[in-house]
Amino acid sequence: MLDLATTTTPTRPVFSRDLSYYAQIFVRPNDTRHGSYYYHALYLKIWISANYTLKSSSSIDMYGCLYKPSFNPINPYLNLIVCDDGGGGYNFSITRNFKSNESYILVVTTYNPNVTGPYSIVAEGPSDISIGLIIPTTTSTVSSKELRDKRIS
């Protein structure tokens, strides 16, 4: 007999924020409109190697991109793993096999340019992950190596 209580993947709300006019701007990957997109770069720390799904929840049309080991808004294709906007409704859903003790950067932006609004990120997987907003101090590349040992929950 299958025990569903032990086989279902837990859903954990991880991070909520407002994408506002004060956020950084970049030209996102796969943009066909040549617009400016507000974004947040989120630091992800994985504690247990496994498959995880990162989903957005918002009333605005969200777009997510996963990077490793760094993200450079001037060159958004550098270190890009995957982008998604097809998570159902106005949300993205990224499922990957993440490695423990490795750091990733999730860039949260919108499908359409010049849009702002609230969003949440939910993680599904066997364990909690640490996540935090990266606040840039310069326009240089944001490296997950610089943040590797800081646990942000």
Side-chain angles (χ1 to χ4, degrees):
M1 184 169 128
L2 181 63
D3 181 2
L4 293 177
T6 60
T7 60
T8 55
T9 303
T11 300
R12 298 173 176 91
V14 176
F15 187 86
S16 293
R17 200 72 167 192
D18 284 325
L19 194 58
S20 73
Y21 295 108
Y22 299 107
Q24 299 290 313
I25 295 176
F26 79 136
V27 177
R28 71 164 171 76
N30 306 315
D31 173 35
T32 58
R33 296 178 182 92
H34 307 290
S36 296
Y37 295 82
Y38 297 101
Y39 75 91
H40 285 154
L42 307 179
Y43 167 76
L44 306 175
K45 176 68 174 181
I46 309 302
W47 300 99
I48 296 175
S49 295
N51 284 328
Y52 292 86
T53 300
L54 303 169
K55 295 181 179 182
S56 65
S57 176
S58 182
S59 61
I60 58 176
D61 199 353
M62 300 303 293
Y63 193 89
C65 295
L66 186 65
Y67 292 84
K68 181 184 170 205
S70 62
F71 163 65
N72 184 340
I74 296 169
N75 184 359
Y77 288 97
L78 182 68
N79 300 316
L80 177 64
I81 298 172
V82 66
C83 288
D84 183 81
D85 72 333
Y90 293 121
N91 299 296
F92 66 80
S93 179
I94 297 174
T95 301
R96 303 302 280 181
N97 186 339
F98 290 87
K99 304 293 180 199
S100 66
N101 296 318
E102 293 191 11
S103 299
Y104 299 84
I105 296 172
L106 176 65
V107 173
V108 177
T109 188
T110 56
Y111 184 77
N112 295 307
N114 301 311
V115 175
T116 61
Y119 69 90
S120 294
I121 303 299
V122 175
E124 295 177 349
S127 175
D128 287 331
I129 63 172
S130 295
I131 188 167
L133 179 65
I134 298 171
I135 300 172
T137 55
T138 66
T139 58
S140 65
T141 301
V142 177
S143 171
S144 58
K145 181 179 179 186
E146 299 168 29
L147 304 169
R148 183 167 289 144
D149 296 325
K150 295 180 182 177
R151 185 170 182 156
I152 307 168
S153 296

